[in-house]
Amino acid sequence: MSRKTRSGKSSSAIIFALIGVLAFLAISCGLFYAVDKGSKDVVSGGEKNKEGIKVVNLVDESIEAHRVLDNILLKKNNWQLIEKWHGEDELGVEGATSRVKMNRRSLAVGVPGETSLAGAGAWLKEKVETSGLAYINGRPDKYRDYDAYRVEVGIKTKAGQETRSFTTDTLWFFHNTNLQKQDKDVKKLPYSSAKEIRQYKGRLAIIVDDCGNDMSSLRTLLDTGLPFSYAVLPYKEYSNDCLEMIKTKGRVPLLHLPMEPVDRKQMSEGSNSILVSMSAEKKRAMVRKAIESLPGVVGINNHQGSKATSDKATMEAVLKEAKAHKLFFVDSKTIASSVARDTAKAMGVYTARNDIFLDSSTDIEKIRMQIYKAMELAEKQGDAVAICHARPNTARCWKQYLDEFKYSGINFVPITELLY
C-alpha cells in the first residue's frame, strides 16, 4: 500500500516537473519571440504600401512586448495599472525612407505614497533589461497634476548594420495614496540620484539672457559650473559688473542687443532699441556703441526684436557691424518670421538659432520640464539651443536640480560649439 502511494507521488512529481519545464519553455519562447522576432531589418526590409513606402510590420512583436511587460508589472500586486490608450501606429525610421507599423500603449501606474517614483523606474529598468525588452528612457514628468516618473519601454530590431529601439509602451509612475502595502525591493531613489535611470544624447547650448539686472541670480547660475553662455543687456546698472563675472568664470559673453518688437508698447529698452524705421547708418552706430560698452563680448543675440529680426534691411545693417567686429549672431527667434539666421548665413556671419525658451513661466517645476524638453530636442536633432533668463526662480531651478541635470547624460556646451 505504501509502495503504491509512493509510486503515485512519484508519478505526480514527474507530471508537475514536466508542467514546470513546459511553462519555462513557453515563457522562454515568448521572450525569445519578443526579442528575436525584432530581427526584421527596418532599413532594408518591409513591403511597399500604396504610396510606395516600405513598411516593416512589427505588430506581433509589439503585442508580445506588451504581454512580457504586463507579466513584469503584475508581479507587483500592490501597484495599480491603468491603460490610458492603445492602438496601431506607424513611425518613421530615422535615417531611412521606411516606416514601421506597430502596436503602442500608454499606461499610468499608481504606486504607494512611500515608494520612490524614480526608484520604481529603476526597478522596472532592471526587470525589463533581463527580459530582453529595451529600456529606452526615464525622466521626471507630470501625470495629470501629479508628480510622475515617465518611462519608455520597447523592442530592439535590426537597422542595417545597427540596432534600433522602438517604443511600445509609455508608462507614468505616480503616487496613489490609497495604496498602502509598501515596496521593500524598490530603492529610495530621488530624481537627483537618477544617473542610472536616464541618459540623454546630444549637445545642448544654454544662453542666459537679460544679464545686467540681477547679480544674485547670475552668480547662482555661474556657480552651477555648467558651460552656459551669457547675454548682457547694455547700459544697465550692473552690466559691466556682470560682464566681468562672466569673463572671470571663463564663460562665453554676448551682447543682448535691444531690438524693436512687433508691439512697441512692449519694448522694454526704449531709446536703446534698434528700430526698423532708423537709417542703416543709425542702426550700425547704435550696434557699435552697444558693443563698445561691453568690451570682450564675442557674439550678439537679440533682446525682443520680433519686428526688427523680421526685416531683412535691419538685419543686414546689424550684421554688417557684427561682422566688422568679428562677432557671431544668435537668432533668439522671438517670432517665426525672423530672417536673422538666414541673413547671417548669407553674409558669412557665424550664426545659430534658438530652439526653445525655458522660463516663460516662473514656476520652478514648469521650468524643469522645459529643460527636459530641450534635452529631448537635443537628442532628436543631435544638438539644440535653449534660452533662459537671469531670474530668481530660473536660477533656483538650475541649483535645486543641478545633480539631476548633470546626471542626465546631455552634453552641455557653450554656444560657440554650435555655430555654423
Side-chain angles (χ1 to χ4, degrees):
M1 188 75 169
S2 61
R3 279 196 297 272
K4 187 175 180 181
T5 303
R6 281 198 297 270
S7 175
K9 287 182 177 178
S10 176
S11 298
S12 297
I14 291 170
I15 291 170
F16 282 122
L18 286 171
I19 291 171
V21 170
L22 289 172
F24 174 78
L25 288 172
I27 293 169
S28 298
C29 289
L31 295 181
F32 176 81
Y33 182 83
V35 179
D36 271 19
K37 276 291 188 178
S39 60
K40 297 176 181 177
D41 194 326
V42 296
V43 173
S44 60
E47 297 182 0
K48 289 185 177 180
N49 61 14
K50 293 179 181 179
E51 290 76 33
I53 299 171
K54 282 189 174 182
V55 179
V56 179
N57 191 324
L58 298 179
V59 172
D60 289 343
E61 291 83 347
S62 55
I63 291 174
E64 181 62 19
H66 298 329
R67 189 192 68 78
V68 173
L69 180 62
D70 286 347
N71 285 341
I72 293 171
L73 292 170
L74 289 172
K75 292 176 183 177
K76 286 290 189 181
N77 58 14
N78 62 325
W79 288 5
Q80 174 195 35
L81 274 61
I82 306 167
E83 185 175 89
K84 298 174 60 183
W85 175 85
H86 77 274
E88 281 193 10
D89 200 1
E90 276 195 16
L91 305 172
V93 178
E94 186 178 351
T97 57
S98 57
R99 300 180 67 80
V100 296
K101 182 167 72 171
M102 59 193 300
N103 211 62
R104 286 155 63 88
R105 293 190 306 179
S106 59
L107 303 170
V109 184
V111 300
E114 295 301 315
T115 297
S116 162
L117 297 178
W123 178 89
L124 184 63
K125 178 177 186 285
E126 180 183 348
K127 304 299 181 186
V128 159
E129 289 180 342
T130 56
S131 77
L133 297 180
Y135 180 94
I136 295 172
N137 63 55
R139 63 172 176 81
D141 202 348
K142 288 283 185 182
Y143 169 62
R144 295 180 179 173
D145 292 326
Y146 303 110
D147 286 336
Y149 199 85
R150 173 177 166 166
V151 171
E152 292 184 17
V153 173
I155 52 177
K156 307 172 201 172
T157 189
K158 187 177 180 184
Q161 300 300 312
E162 303 175 350
T163 300
R164 198 72 56 83
S165 295
F166 293 93
T167 300
T168 57
D169 292 87
T170 302
L171 305 90
W172 283 265
F173 289 103
F174 70 98
H175 285 135
N176 183 338
T177 54
N178 293 320
L179 301 174
Q180 300 300 321
K181 186 178 177 182
Q182 297 307 307
D183 291 294
K184 294 181 180 179
D185 58 342
V186 174
K187 296 178 181 178
K188 294 286 184 183
L189 188 62
Y191 296 150
S192 59
S193 302
K195 59 183 176 182
E196 309 129 24
I197 307 302
R198 176 58 161 115
Q199 290 291 292
Y200 287 88
K201 297 178 182 178
R203 297 183 297 171
L204 178 59
I206 305 290
I207 298 177
V208 180
D209 278 355
D210 291 359
C211 300
N213 291 312
D214 179 358
M215 292 183 68
S216 176
S217 296
L218 174 63
R219 187 175 291 108
T220 299
L221 290 163
L222 286 166
D223 286 345
T224 63
L226 294 173
F228 297 157
S229 305
Y230 294 86
V232 183
L233 283 164
Y235 319 124
K236 295 294 182 181
E237 182 179 0
Y238 301 113
S239 293
N240 290 93
D241 291 328
C242 288
L243 178 63
E244 288 307 309
M245 287 170 62
I246 294 162
K247 292 194 292 185
T248 299
K249 287 285 188 176
R251 302 305 177 201
V252 174
L254 289 78
L255 162 64
H256 197 33
L257 183 66
M259 302 180 77
E260 184 180 4
V262 170
D263 184 357
R264 284 282 294 273
K265 294 177 182 177
Q266 300 297 318
M267 191 164 69
S268 66
E269 303 306 305
S271 61
N272 292 322
S273 299
I274 307 293
L275 304 180
V276 171
S277 59
M278 292 174 174
S279 67
E281 292 75 15
K282 174 68 172 176
K283 292 168 186 171
R284 289 194 63 173
M286 288 187 67
V287 176
R288 184 163 56 251
K289 180 183 177 184
I291 293 170
E292 290 171 352
S293 76
L294 295 169
V297 293
V298 297
I300 301 172
N301 77 333
N302 55 289
H303 171 71
Q304 299 185 328
S306 50
K307 182 174 181 178
T309 59
S310 299
D311 183 72
K312 188 175 181 180
T314 298
M315 287 314 307
E316 285 176 343
V318 170
L319 290 164
K320 282 179 183 177
E321 199 60 36
K323 189 171 185 178
H325 286 81
K326 299 181 180 179
L327 305 181
F328 60 82
F329 187 94
V330 178
D331 181 3
S332 299
K333 203 181 177 185
T334 54
I335 192 168
S337 59
S338 173
V339 298
R341 183 190 62 166
D342 292 342
T343 307
K345 287 171 66 178
M347 293 176 62
V349 176
Y350 282 109
T351 188
R353 185 168 69 184
N354 176 43
D355 292 297
I356 184 171
F357 285 98
L358 303 179
D359 53 358
S360 298
S361 168
T362 58
D363 182 86
I364 289 176
E365 200 59 34
K366 289 182 179 178
I367 296 169
R368 181 187 184 205
M369 291 302 105
Q370 283 295 101
I371 292 170
Y372 276 104
K373 285 184 181 179
M375 291 182 190
E376 289 177 349
L377 272 176
E379 185 166 68
K380 181 179 179 181
Q381 299 173 176
D383 54 57
V385 178
I387 289 179
C388 63
H389 298 79
R391 298 171 183 162
N393 274 13
T394 300
R396 289 189 190 106
C397 181
W398 283 103
K399 181 180 179 180
Q400 183 174 339
Y401 296 106
L402 180 60
D403 287 344
E404 182 177 303
F405 298 142
K406 283 183 175 180
Y407 293 149
S408 67
I410 204 72
N411 183 15
F412 290 102
V413 297
I415 187 61
T416 47
E417 291 195 20
L418 300 187
L419 299 174
Y420 45 87

